[in-house]
Amino acid sequence: MRRSLCDSLQSNKTREKGVSPEQKAIESFTSLTKCDLNVSRKYLQRNHWNINYALNDYYDKEIGTFTDEVSTPVHPIVYPKELVQLFEHYSNNSLFDIDSLIKFIEDLGYNLENITTLCLVHLLGYTKLEEPLRREQFLSKWFIEGCSTILDMQECMKRLDIKLRQNLQYFTLIYNYTFHLLLDSYRKDIDINECIQYWKLFFRPEYPVSIEQNLLEAWFRFLHDEGKMMINKDTWQMLLVFFKKYSTVREIMDDYDESAAWPFIIDEFYEYLQDQQ
């Protein structure tokens, strides 16, 4: 959406006569960042006058990546009025708490159990859902995405959903991020029932790691029959690697290497399948 915002600003400038394309780009860049004209020229020149690349470069170098840490930008950002009003609409006493998040997600057309929602909370920089999101964090994340309205954000969500379905690297990132999101701060493991709930969502045919339904059901039976109660980080992450390599029960039975460095629980699963066979 940042591209659309920049293109719109550039189109307005284009209608002005007697202004060079470089000057139009400088004016657009300056209007967005509120920085000095010389700073605008510097970033545009070194990015071959591509305003989108220049903006990314500027935010990285001058302002830096927005994190949970409180920091003061070199050049204060003037956020769009619509974006500020959106935050105020959902915030509770200036805090974007869990109730704010749930209402926000519902208005975007999603729910907390949807995997695309995990993409959203990852984009916003959540580490724990129960921790309120800072005003600056909410505004800055959406500002960088070029989103000011619910419609803008819905379009962003659609792009994230497509990326999740088509990009294995991004899918893996969100999958691994989910473990930390679900993990209680005082524990190192996740309850097995919660894991199963999300495995059912992640290992669906429309996503990059598509496995035989019979294999997923066998994994769940194994966990139940063997009385497994908790899943640690290593098991969570390596299960994805395991399912990338073996997508069917038959492949496991034919090709599984017991000497490979799989977690012990996966070795147990292989033995369980042998017994079932």
Side-chain angles (χ1 to χ4, degrees):
M1 290 304 296
R2 181 190 292 171
R3 179 180 295 275
S4 299
L5 179 61
C6 295
D7 289 345
S8 176
L9 287 169
Q10 286 182 295
S11 296
N12 290 334
K13 297 295 183 181
T14 301
R15 288 192 287 270
E16 300 176 9
K17 295 182 179 180
V19 181
S20 68
E22 290 80 7
Q23 187 60 35
K24 296 166 192 170
I26 291 172
E27 291 175 358
S28 296
F29 188 96
T30 305
S31 176
L32 282 169
T33 62
K34 310 302 179 187
C35 69
D36 184 83
L37 289 174
N38 290 329
V39 174
S40 297
R41 179 181 294 276
K42 178 183 73 172
Y43 280 97
L44 285 163
Q45 283 180 332
R46 76 186 194 186
N47 286 279
H48 307 288
W49 298 96
N50 184 306
I51 193 168
N52 298 293
Y53 294 158
L55 283 170
N56 287 328
D57 190 11
Y58 171 82
Y59 292 132
D60 288 340
K61 299 294 192 306
E62 298 288 336
I63 298 177
T65 303
F66 293 100
T67 66
D68 291 335
E69 299 178 359
V70 178
S71 59
T72 302
V74 176
H75 303 286
I77 300 174
V78 179
Y79 294 111
K81 179 181 177 181
E82 298 88 347
L83 180 57
V84 175
Q85 289 176 338
L86 194 69
F87 175 82
E88 293 174 350
H89 172 72
Y90 289 103
S91 64
N92 181 15
N93 294 323
S94 297
L95 288 177
F96 199 84
D97 56 19
I98 188 64
D99 292 331
S100 304
L101 177 62
I102 291 172
K103 181 65 168 63
F104 180 56
I105 289 172
E106 288 175 349
D107 289 350
L108 287 171
Y110 295 86
N111 56 65
L112 284 174
E113 288 72 37
N114 190 292
I115 296 186
T116 311
T117 300
L118 295 172
C119 300
L120 170 67
V121 297
H122 176 264
L123 181 148
L124 292 175
Y126 274 94
T127 54
K128 299 296 177 186
L129 289 176
E130 64 272 16
E131 296 176 359
L133 201 66
R134 292 185 299 107
R135 178 182 185 275
E136 178 67 20
Q137 191 173 354
F138 181 92
L139 297 177
S140 64
K141 295 293 185 178
W142 286 121
F143 180 77
I144 289 175
E145 292 297 321
C147 297
S148 300
T149 67
I150 285 290
L151 288 177
D152 292 340
M153 295 167 186
Q154 286 175 332
E155 288 301 314
C156 179
M157 292 286 284
K158 290 177 183 177
R159 293 197 302 274
L160 293 178
D161 186 46
I162 292 173
K163 186 177 182 180
L164 188 69
R165 295 166 188 265
Q166 297 180 352
N167 188 315
L168 176 58
Q169 184 176 2
Y170 181 65
F171 176 85
T172 303
L173 172 69
I174 297 301
Y175 175 85
N176 289 335
Y177 166 75
T178 300
F179 181 87
H180 296 283
L181 193 69
L182 299 177
L183 192 65
D184 291 333
S185 56
Y186 56 89
R187 300 177 69 173
K188 295 183 179 180
D189 305 312
I190 299 177
D191 179 81
I192 194 70
N193 292 323
E194 194 166 16
C195 291
I196 289 174
Q197 176 186 353
Y198 280 93
W199 281 329
K200 287 180 179 178
L201 296 175
F202 274 109
F203 298 118
R204 290 166 57 180
E206 62 264 35
Y207 294 116
V209 181
S210 180
I211 65 172
E212 182 183 63
Q213 186 63 29
N214 187 45
L215 172 56
L216 190 60
E217 292 173 353
W219 171 249
F220 294 157
R221 285 197 306 274
F222 157 74
L223 296 172
H224 177 267
D225 292 349
E226 297 299 315
K228 305 298 183 183
M229 302 299 294
M230 307 295 292
I231 293 295
N232 61 28
K233 177 182 175 181
D234 185 50
T235 298
W236 176 273
Q237 294 185 346
M238 289 303 293
L239 184 68
L240 179 63
V241 178
F242 179 70
F243 284 160
K244 285 179 187 177
K245 186 174 181 62
Y246 305 107
S247 61
T248 69
V249 172
R250 185 73 267 158
E251 288 178 355
I252 297 173
M253 302 307 298
D254 291 344
D255 302 325
Y256 186 75
D257 182 3
E258 294 183 81
S259 65
W262 295 108
F264 180 66
I265 192 173
I266 291 182
D267 286 335
E268 288 183 302
F269 178 52
Y270 172 66
E271 293 172 1
Y272 175 85
L273 291 178
Q274 286 183 312
D275 293 340
Q276 295 297 308
Q277 288 287 327

